[in-house]
Amino acid sequence: MAIIQGFLYVLQPLHFMFLFLGVAGGIIVGAIPGLTASVGIILLLPLVYQLDASTAIVMLCGMFCGAMYGGSISAILLSIPGTPSAAATVLDGYPLSQKGEAGKAIGVATIASATGGIISTFCLIFIAPQLARFALKFGPEEYFALMIFGLTIIASVSGKSLVKGLIAGFFGLLVATVGLDPVTGYARFSFNIPNLMAGFPLLPVLIGLFAISQIFIQLEAVGEKIRHYKQKINKVLPSFKELKRLLPTIIASSFLGTFIGIIPGTGGTIASFLAYNEAKRWSKDPDSFGKGNILGVAAPEAANNSTTGGAMVPLLSLGIPGDVVTAVMLGALLLIGIKPGPFLFREHPEIVNSIFAGMLLANVLILLLGILSVRLFPQVLRTPDAILFPVILTLCFLGAFSLNNSVYDMSVALIFGVIGYIMRKNSFPIAPVVLGVILGPIAEDELGRALIIAHGDWTVLFQSPIAIFFYAISLLSLLYSLKMQFSTCCCSPKKGSWNY
Amino acid sequence: MGKKEILLSIFFIIISMTIYVLTYQFPKQTVALSPKVFPQFVSACLFILSLVLLIQGITGVKKESEQKKVKLALNNIFLLKMLTMIILAFFYTRILMIVGFVVATPPFIAGSMLLFNEKKWFLIVTVSIVATAVLYILFRIVFKIPLPRFNLF
């Protein structure tokens, strides 16, 4: 059992401390409306960059899992989802909180999140190595087709306007073309500026687009709202009888969330709403949903945390992200020096095992921290924006600086912060930009390799059945997004809500 | 959809056209993938999509009501704040290498707090000093990441 080696690694005091800090930091980041798992990972990345790769990835996994759970705290106490995937938790979490059962709601959210995370990690452990073994047969042309499929996620994360989402995606692809061409080494669009020859550095671009743009948005919202909660948090643990009643819903939602997470282009928000609807459909008392039914908290929380393991399946085994957060994770892994994909399983099994063990232990930590510190974490919601965001802005610039000790990187972060803000204010989603920036160079690289092997014969791209399969599902994915675009937008986010 | 969409679509049209034209300066490559292929394909797609957005914007601008004018005064105050924030951040990134992290950061945090409408001077001073110290410890001592220092020579 190779995973035992992973546990032995993660359970070393220093590594476990980093995991603990990652989970605790993730819960705090997730709880604060305005900060998401993506922002947390991006802010953490400069700090873990110099650590050993396994430790860094374990801490990032802790941040990922912690933030997915942390979103439920503000959803229950303030009726504001801390992360987009906690939106469904608001529906019953807040009414429960108003009834004086905030403690119970947070307790159940904690148990459901941890269970969902653990079940999905087991699925990850069983599915990912099999998929990676199959993907070892892939050549450059299959990888190119796979990256094309990865890029079709742009359509599904486009939000209200498909045209704007696609423009954002192609803008990201253009940004990625600046710098040395991966095949010939020719410096494109660099205008003889040495900094531009290396292209736009990924981390400052991510910091700008996700974190700095969010701070500008918060600046606009100054004086609009004050985050306060007055509810007492007590009676956290549900009774054994109640837990027994909740367990089937939690387990079913966990498997549903894992399955949704595996499908690229979906993510926690879709999973949590689907799980909520299923719990309501199967309930003996569906009318009580939306008025404070505890199953309405358990189902979405189990589902959104179970997408963490699900979304890691295509990321680790194929190297394509399942959603926005895993796209950022992909960027983070590449920066640390880990290239996800089937070769990771063959060449660095110790890293894969550390990820598996880290994610399992992260979810155990969520359970322990969530229950033991149930009154502590909500305190972060009392931190005024005027303190929080200036400090985060400083952290953004330090993060951009620290990777290369470069002022240029800080300027890139600032410029992309302004670009991200302008885009978000005009309803251009920024997630497609990130997907374009990350997947574009990989796709071009694989295309170049395939054409070199085939002596420039483009028909090689359409000769492999696996590649044709990926083109077909890419087309289906695009057609589905188009269909969704033209159908009624009943689930469109409210004004001022998330636009990632 | 409206005037903003028109402006942004024109911006993206200009960008895509510029990129496409610039690719003609790239060297010709006969075998495998020429460095111009990918940027040309991407800029052509961006151009087509921006045209679609432009058409959507032109049809949408007629429907735009004049109600938004009321909001304009408020937006101007924010715009001024954001510009100040950008200028502040720009200067921070410039002086950081000259005066070092410990000197440059407290005024930057204090300035940002003022922009976030914080008026309590004691809080501003305390937070800017404490946050600088915490960030220094986190980066320099815990994670051993070098931070810009003041150098006389």
Side-chain angles (χ1 to χ4, degrees):
Chain A
M1 286 293 280
I3 196 172
I4 292 170
Q5 286 182 328
F7 277 107
L8 290 175
Y9 179 84
V10 179
L11 286 171
Q12 283 178 32
L14 188 68
H15 303 154
F16 190 75
M17 185 194 77
F18 281 121
L19 177 69
F20 178 87
L21 289 175
V23 174
I27 297 174
I28 290 169
V29 164
I32 298 170
L35 300 181
T36 57
S38 308
V39 176
I41 291 166
I42 291 164
L43 291 178
L44 183 64
L45 195 52
L47 296 172
V48 300
Y49 184 69
Q50 295 188 6
L51 296 176
D52 155 51
S54 295
T55 316
I57 184 73
V58 160
M59 196 173 180
L60 288 169
C61 286
M63 172 64 78
F64 180 24
C65 298
M68 290 298 273
Y69 156 69
S72 66
I73 295 173
S74 50
I76 291 164
L77 293 174
L78 301 174
S79 179
I80 306 168
T83 54
S85 56
T89 312
V90 173
L91 300 173
D92 279 279
Y94 190 61
L96 273 169
S97 170
Q98 283 181 313
K99 281 191 216 168
E101 295 180 56
K104 185 174 143 189
I106 294 178
V108 168
T110 309
I111 294 167
S113 296
T115 313
I118 290 168
I119 287 176
S120 75
T121 308
F122 275 116
C123 292
L124 168 72
I125 294 167
F126 288 113
I127 299 170
Q130 314 307 326
L131 200 58
R133 204 166 295 145
F134 172 69
L136 276 171
K137 294 172 189 164
F138 291 6
E141 59 272 25
E142 282 93 1
Y143 268 116
F144 172 70
L146 187 63
M147 288 305 138
I148 296 294
F149 174 53
L151 282 167
T152 57
I153 301 167
I154 286 173
S156 49
V157 294
S158 288
K160 282 183 273 184
S161 168
L162 184 62
V163 176
K164 286 184 175 179
L166 290 174
I167 287 177
F170 279 103
F171 175 68
L173 287 169
L174 266 191
V175 168
T177 60
V178 177
L180 295 178
D181 167 40
V183 182
T184 61
Y186 178 75
R188 296 184 294 203
F189 314 117
S190 60
F191 311 106
N192 291 327
I193 301 167
N195 280 326
L196 282 180
M197 282 186 186
F200 289 111
L202 182 59
L203 182 64
V205 170
L206 294 179
I207 286 177
L209 287 173
F210 277 100
I212 297 180
S213 69
Q214 183 63 39
I215 289 163
F216 290 143
I217 284 177
Q218 297 294 335
L219 186 66
E220 195 176 3
V222 166
E224 268 185 15
K225 57 183 188 288
I226 301 165
R227 295 193 299 260
H228 268 315
Y229 71 92
K230 292 170 186 167
Q231 302 91 330
K232 281 187 178 173
I233 301 169
N234 46 23
K235 290 181 187 167
V236 179
L237 287 174
S239 64
F240 182 72
K241 194 181 163 191
E242 199 161 31
L243 198 62
K244 212 173 145 186
R245 187 172 72 89
L246 291 171
L247 214 56
T249 305
I250 291 175
I251 292 171
S253 303
S254 301
F255 280 108
L256 179 71
T258 308
F259 176 70
I260 299 288
I262 293 172
I263 303 168
T266 49
T269 314
I270 294 172
S272 56
F273 274 106
L274 268 176
Y276 182 85
N277 285 338
E278 285 307 304
K280 189 177 173 181
R281 202 158 65 93
W282 289 93
S283 168
K284 287 172 189 165
D285 183 18
D287 291 337
S288 64
F289 276 75
K291 295 169 190 165
N293 189 327
I294 197 71
L295 285 169
V297 173
E301 277 307 306
N304 72 25
N305 261 63
S306 60
T307 56
T308 53
M312 290 296 270
V313 171
L315 178 70
L316 288 181
S317 55
L318 302 175
I320 56 165
D323 58 6
V324 183
V325 193
T326 39
V328 174
M329 276 290 269
L330 173 61
L333 292 175
L334 293 173
L335 280 167
I336 294 167
I338 302 168
K339 194 180 178 196
F343 291 104
L344 180 67
F345 285 76
R346 199 170 67 178
E347 288 163 12
H348 296 288
E350 75 287 356
I351 291 179
V352 176
N353 288 322
S354 304
I355 294 172
F356 291 162
M359 284 191 68
L360 276 176
L361 290 170
N363 284 294
V364 174
L365 278 174
I366 284 174
L367 187 65
L368 295 174
L369 279 173
I371 299 292
L372 297 175
S373 315
V374 72
R375 286 173 196 87
L376 188 68
F377 283 116
Q379 295 301 322
V380 76
L381 297 173
R382 297 186 195 275
T383 314
D385 285 359
I387 294 176
L388 196 65
F389 290 104
V391 175
I392 291 173
L393 185 61
T394 314
L395 196 60
C396 288
F397 285 119
L398 286 185
F401 171 83
S402 63
L403 224 56
N404 297 316
N405 289 351
S406 156
V407 175
Y408 165 73
D409 285 7
M410 287 197 285
S411 308
V412 170
L414 182 60
I415 290 166
F416 276 89
V418 176
I419 291 172
Y421 171 77
I422 294 170
M423 289 183 77
R424 288 167 73 173
K425 284 308 288 179
N426 291 290
S427 309
F428 283 88
I430 53 169
V433 187
V434 173
L435 284 165
V437 169
I438 295 172
L439 294 182
I442 306 174
E444 192 182 6
D445 192 26
E446 297 297 347
L447 176 64
R449 284 172 53 197
L451 290 175
I452 286 171
I453 294 167
H455 302 286
D457 178 13
W458 284 74
T459 58
V460 71
L461 300 176
F462 304 99
Q463 286 169 4
S464 152
I466 296 170
I468 291 167
F469 169 75
F470 283 125
Y471 294 133
I473 55 171
S474 305
L475 195 68
L476 282 175
S477 169
L478 274 175
L479 289 174
Y480 179 72
S481 299
L482 269 172
K483 183 180 167 274
M484 293 301 287
Q485 190 72 38
F486 288 115
S487 63
T488 48
C489 298
C490 57
C491 296
S492 60
K494 282 187 277 182
K495 196 189 171 196
S497 63
W498 306 99
N499 190 20
Y500 282 147
Chain B
M1 296 289 174
K3 286 176 187 170
K4 282 181 183 175
E5 271 70 22
I6 295 174
L7 282 174
L8 284 165
S9 57
I10 291 169
F11 170 76
F12 282 118
I13 285 171
I14 293 169
I15 290 263
S16 55
M17 284 171 71
T18 312
I19 295 283
Y20 198 91
V21 171
L22 282 172
T23 56
Y24 282 100
Q25 296 174 354
F26 293 179
K28 280 187 181 174
Q29 183 93 7
T30 47
V31 181
L33 189 64
S34 164
K36 68 168 78 165
V37 173
F38 200 72
Q40 278 184 345
F41 171 74
V42 172
S43 52
C45 291
L46 186 63
F47 178 80
I48 294 164
L49 287 163
S50 305
L51 269 184
V52 174
L53 187 69
L54 181 68
I55 294 162
Q56 284 184 350
I58 290 167
T59 50
V61 78
K62 293 170 190 167
K63 295 170 193 169
E64 224 176 34
S65 67
E66 289 192 359
Q67 286 173 344
K68 285 182 180 174
K69 283 184 181 173
V70 187
K71 275 189 168 180
L72 218 61
L74 270 174
N75 285 344
N76 285 341
I77 295 168
F78 162 70
L79 214 63
L80 193 71
K81 269 189 175 186
M82 193 176 144
L83 274 176
T84 316
M85 178 69 98
I86 292 168
I87 293 166
L88 189 69
F90 176 78
F91 277 107
Y92 177 65
T93 59
R94 301 291 123 177
I95 63 161
L96 196 62
M97 291 301 276
I98 303 164
V99 298
F101 170 78
V102 176
V103 179
T105 304
F108 174 66
I109 294 178
S112 307
M113 286 179 77
L114 281 171
L115 288 171
F116 269 93
N117 274 6
E118 183 56 63
K119 286 167 186 144
K120 293 171 196 153
W121 278 101
F122 179 73
L123 191 70
I124 291 173
V125 173
T126 313
V127 170
S128 51
I129 292 169
V130 172
T132 305
V134 170
L135 288 173
Y136 184 85
I137 293 166
L138 192 69
F139 273 77
R140 196 76 193 89
I141 297 167
V142 178
F143 288 94
K144 310 231 182 305
I145 298 167
L147 290 171
R149 284 163 141 184
F150 171 68
N151 286 318
L152 193 57
F153 302 106

